[in-house]
Amino acid sequence: MSSPRQVFYISDRTGLTAENIGEALLNQFGNLSFKRHTHPFVDTPEKARAVVEKVNRSRQENGQRPIAFVSVVDDEIRRIIKGADAFQINFFETFLGLLEKELNTEATVSGQGHHSIGNTKRYDARMEAVNFSLNHDDGVSDKNLQEADVILMGVSRSGKTPTCLYLALQYGIRAANYPLIPDDLESADLPRMVKPYKDKLFGLTIQPERLQAIRQERRPNSAYARIDTCRSEVADAQSMFRRHGIPFANTTDKSVEELAVHILQACKLKRRF
Amino acid sequence: MSSPRQVFYISDRTGLTAENIGEALLNQFGNLSFKRHTHPFVDTPEKARAVVEKVNRSRQENGQRPIAFVSVVDDEIRRIIKGADAFQINFFETFLGLLEKELNTEATVSGQGHHSIGNTKRYDARMEAVNFSLNHDDGVSDKNLQEADVILMGVSRSGKTPTCLYLALQYGIRAANYPLIPDDLESADLPRMVKPYKDKLFGLTIQPERLQAIRQERRPNSAYARIDTCRSEVADAQSMFRRHGIPFANTTDKSVEELAVHILQACKLKRRF
């Protein structure tokens, strides 16, 4: 096996965008191996020159041209990075000119990145949503449940909490969650606490074997972690969702990002930012 | 003012990448207005044709060519989307061919997106980190604090919780947080609970006026929300950070994403995925 190809992510902001699209592209070359170097906040000429030096050194040491995914808004920084001896994929440069032509307007490059808050509205919405989700985690309180944008329900350890938090952080969605306990599952009715909010419910389900593994980790060799417990709880929860026409998704093979976007779509939720 | 230009984000996965880079690009045209339409999970030919129809209808209704940011891995879907009457920016197509040439390898297009979990390792790391952060929120427990990757400290409402959760969700980092209460701030020493973990500490500070606004929202007209309380707490916290050589950042103008990446860098934290 040949030595891994060096990959640099270079950005004058968080670099998350460069990384996301870079990883999606590299994923298409599953038979090759890559070694990644991440350089966020390269926002001064000095920092830019230091990164260029690093890239060039890597080129000499490895004999191969590194690959650089560059997402830099600032013109001067971009010019400096361009001098690095790497195969460069530059998101901004590639598309900005095309867009300027299509929009018939010159770009007014602003250092203010899209991740900056600018005004505090986005920050407020996010804080509020995160606090809401934390206060309504595991069905601890039905106070203000009418203010929830969505209520996730599912058996214990089906992935409700991370999904709620992701919805809050990423979209400012007020996501509460309600754990289905055996008492709930035995009843043909919806749990009393969430019944008034049927239109806000979204169900999470999970493969019993996976659930078993997660629960086993948490409470080894308990009744709670037994495979037949997991099987019957999951089956009961799914029947409940079907009986009451509650949309649901299987979390087993989905990442939190995928789940969140899926829930947004299914419940027609409006992002707060 | 002219009518807003229609913008479509089209993806066969979550569409988050297309949105991120699209928004960063559109941000460069601050004087224009855009109306956004998001179409994630366009993963069948039927869905793709429905989106094409939507784009074409928008073109007719608005008289202007919509702009479409397309991030589609699947060849067939991409071909269908291409038929839409829009100005298209296609992240995959633009760069994949270039990369194939540079890597001297043909891409083996896999529907398996970079956001899919594939194996469950990433999911496990994330769940563990989120649970850790929830269990160590607001300094409720010093149990297992030695297992924390980082401990954020700051005065009440300085933004610790969302930052911890983001670090956990995005990077699998075990982030605990410790709220500095007035008793802590009066002492010249570090709080007893976190003192053994000095190397893991990272401080958050905030503009007193902003803190006042946040606290006022939470407990209107309390001593806690008074501007002089906020000023002295923030000043004391910053002196503590400086006295003990604890790195810190101001959360006032930073988004959670920016803060998280900054903390990763400052504390040389290793992502778990």
Side-chain angles (χ1 to χ4, degrees), chain B:
Chain B
M1 186 157 162
S2 62
S3 66
R5 189 75 169 245
Q6 308 293 309
V7 173
F8 287 82
Y9 290 112
I10 304 167
S11 172
D12 53 354
R13 294 170 303 162
T14 61
L16 295 175
T17 303
E19 258 187 82
N20 271 338
I21 192 158
E23 287 299 305
L25 286 163
L26 295 183
N27 248 2
Q28 309 304 310
F29 301 91
N31 46 341
L32 299 181
S33 75
F34 301 98
K35 185 160 181 357
R36 289 142 177 99
H37 311 266
T38 316
H39 295 278
F41 301 126
V42 180
D43 49 12
T44 66
E46 295 70 45
K47 289 188 199 167
R49 278 187 281 268
V51 169
V52 169
E53 213 171 288
K54 234 177 189 159
V55 173
N56 292 347
R57 210 176 319 129
S58 154
R59 204 269 192 256
Q60 286 174 347
E61 284 167 8
N62 295 283
Q64 278 186 315
R65 252 209 314 189
I67 292 166
F69 293 99
V70 184
S71 170
V72 169
V73 181
D74 186 88
D75 275 337
E76 188 187 355
I77 309 285
R78 205 158 55 208
R79 227 171 9 245
I80 297 171
I81 301 293
K82 227 174 177 177
D85 188 9
F87 174 74
Q88 301 199 18
I89 285 198
N90 193 315
F91 300 121
F92 256 76
E93 210 166 65
T94 309
F95 298 124
L96 207 55
L98 294 172
L99 263 180
E100 282 183 327
K101 228 176 117 190
E102 175 68 19
L103 294 169
N104 203 12
T105 310
E106 240 177 86
T108 50
V109 177
S110 73
Q112 191 72 301
H114 63 298
H115 276 307
S116 282
I117 339 182
N119 58 46
T120 53
K121 254 178 81 184
R122 177 176 165 154
Y123 182 84
D124 286 345
R126 181 175 246 164
M127 285 291 266
E128 219 175 275
V130 167
N131 285 329
F132 185 90
S133 290
L134 289 175
N135 289 334
H136 295 82
D137 190 36
D138 260 358
V140 283
S141 154
D142 61 353
K143 223 181 75 190
N144 305 327
L145 220 48
Q146 71 269 27
E147 284 172 25
D149 296 315
V150 65
I151 303 165
L152 302 190
M153 61 196 288
V155 303
S156 169
R157 300 284 112 186
S158 53
K160 299 179 297 297
T161 299
T163 311
C164 280
L165 292 171
Y166 191 84
L167 283 166
L169 278 166
Q170 192 71 25
Y171 302 111
I173 298 284
R174 292 183 197 166
N177 78 64
Y178 183 86
L180 290 170
I181 58 168
D183 275 359
D184 296 323
L185 295 169
E186 276 160 23
S187 161
D189 208 359
L190 279 173
R192 185 195 51 76
M193 202 195 265
V194 296
K195 204 177 166 185
Y197 310 107
K198 184 163 172 284
D199 291 345
K200 297 182 180 183
L201 294 175
F202 188 94
L204 295 186
T205 187
I206 185 171
Q207 198 184 36
E209 291 71 26
R210 176 82 191 113
L211 183 62
Q212 198 260 332
I214 297 172
R215 289 184 169 185
Q216 174 67 19
E217 180 88 7
R218 194 170 164 95
R219 290 201 218 140
N221 306 317
S222 61
Y224 165 84
R226 269 210 315 266
I227 183 67
D228 48 330
T229 308
C230 294
R231 280 207 188 104
S232 80
E233 284 193 21
V234 167
D236 288 348
Q238 289 184 188
S239 330
M240 179 187 280
F241 301 151
R242 292 209 181 88
R243 191 163 49 238
H244 298 282
I246 295 165
F248 66 100
N250 192 320
T251 67
T252 314
D253 295 310
K254 282 200 175 68
S255 69
V256 175
E257 290 91 339
E258 287 169 329
L259 266 178
V261 175
H262 185 83
I263 292 166
L264 276 185
Q265 259 196 323
C267 300
K268 296 194 173 42
L269 294 173
K270 244 192 97 183
R271 315 166 177 207
R272 291 192 196 268
F273 45 74

